[in-house]
Amino acid sequence: MTIELMPPITYRPNFISEAQGQLLLEETKGYPFVRPKIKVFGRWHLVPRQQVWFADPGCDYRYSSLMIKAQPWPPLLKQLRVLLQQQFTTQFNGVLVNCYQGGCDTMGWHSDNEREIVQGSQIASVSLGGSRDFLMRHKVAKQVHKLTLNHGDLLMMHAPMQQDWQHSVPKRARMNDLRINLTFRLLTPYFHHHD
Ligand SMILES: O=C(O)CCC(=O)C(=O)O
């Protein structure tokens, strides 16, 4: 008998209204996106999407050998952070914004388990623009669950999601729409201060 394992998530479709989502999308047009290179198994690769990290002072973020400096919060993201903090009685001090230009931009399997992320904290993911599949795979049992994230949807990832599960946004060659994903996180401030 196979026991079905469920990822520790809360999914709220249409958490952001259509109009609010459009305003946020408009704001993202002015964000300083970059497509950095990261080292994987000793080789450098262009990240298959664009990204930018907004955060409080001292909340620089390092992943895959890349140190991302905190940029100051844009107005609408600051408001969204307050809303999420109130609704989920939690704190966030940074947001990673990923921009998928089309279905060939992707996010590979990973967990958000960098050392500077506060242990046991939640991660709030808000999607805007085109719809994309979001996969979750249990690290041991390898069971996979799929959610389609649409414009305005919220996905809360609770502990121990990052410990037990990986997630990814696979390629969907026939999707041409731009998609923005915002993941709000809680980091230990000044974690990299002495690096
Ligand atoms: O684009 C998404 O929905 C996922 C983003 C993600 O996995 C991440 O920022 O770690």
Side-chain angles (χ1 to χ4, degrees):
M1 189 179 73
T2 313
I3 298 166
E4 181 152 25
L5 298 166
M6 295 307 292
I9 56 170
T10 303
Y11 172 53
R12 295 258 187 98
N14 303 308
F15 177 78
I16 304 276
S17 71
E18 170 63 30
Q20 191 61 27
Q22 287 305 331
L23 287 175
L24 268 164
L25 272 179
E26 205 49 46
E27 185 181 81
T28 65
K29 289 181 185 164
Y31 292 176
F33 284 110
V34 289
R35 191 183 283 266
K37 278 188 174 168
I38 56 167
K39 209 173 191 179
V40 185
F41 300 120
R43 296 186 60 177
W44 290 95
H45 300 268
L46 270 179
V47 167
R49 63 194 170 274
Q50 289 176 282
Q51 63 184 45
V52 59
W53 169 245
F54 299 110
D56 292 349
C59 293
D60 296 340
Y61 190 24
R62 188 204 289 274
Y63 77 82
S64 303
S65 71
L66 198 72
M67 176 67 93
I68 334 179
K69 290 273 169 211
Q71 306 264 353
W73 288 82
L76 295 183
L77 282 191
K78 214 190 257 182
Q79 285 177 22
L80 184 54
R81 157 164 76 161
V82 173
L83 178 74
L84 289 165
Q85 291 184 152
Q86 285 170 347
Q87 293 232 353
F88 291 92
T89 338
T90 188
Q91 293 292 309
F92 296 113
N93 54 17
V95 58
L96 182 66
V97 184
N98 283 298
C99 173
Y100 303 83
Q101 293 284 348
C104 289
D105 279 2
T106 61
M107 173 78 79
W109 285 110
H110 70 287
S111 302
D112 298 324
N113 56 2
E114 289 76 23
R115 287 183 308 138
E116 58 267 52
I117 294 187
V118 172
Q119 280 266 326
S121 61
Q122 313 183 63
I123 295 182
S125 153
V126 174
S127 294
L128 302 167
S131 302
R132 288 292 288 269
D133 289 339
F134 179 83
L135 306 183
M136 293 157 284
R137 179 174 71 186
H138 192 271
K139 288 185 188 176
V140 178
K142 304 292 177 199
Q143 279 181 24
V144 176
H145 292 262
K146 182 180 91 172
L147 258 182
T148 301
L149 297 177
N150 303 306
H151 180 70
D153 290 358
L154 167 73
L155 177 73
M156 285 297 294
M157 296 188 261
H158 310 284
M161 174 80 178
Q162 310 305 331
Q163 213 175 301
D164 296 347
W165 297 77
Q166 292 183 310
H167 53 274
S168 70
V169 179
K171 191 171 176 167
R172 291 288 181 260
R174 271 175 287 177
M175 297 271 194
N176 292 317
D177 296 338
L178 178 132
R179 169 175 185 265
I180 299 283
N181 177 261
L182 317 165
T183 43
F184 291 81
R185 298 154 193 248
L186 180 63
L187 269 58
T188 304
Y190 299 101
F191 188 89
H192 294 294
H193 206 56
H194 301 293
D195 289 4

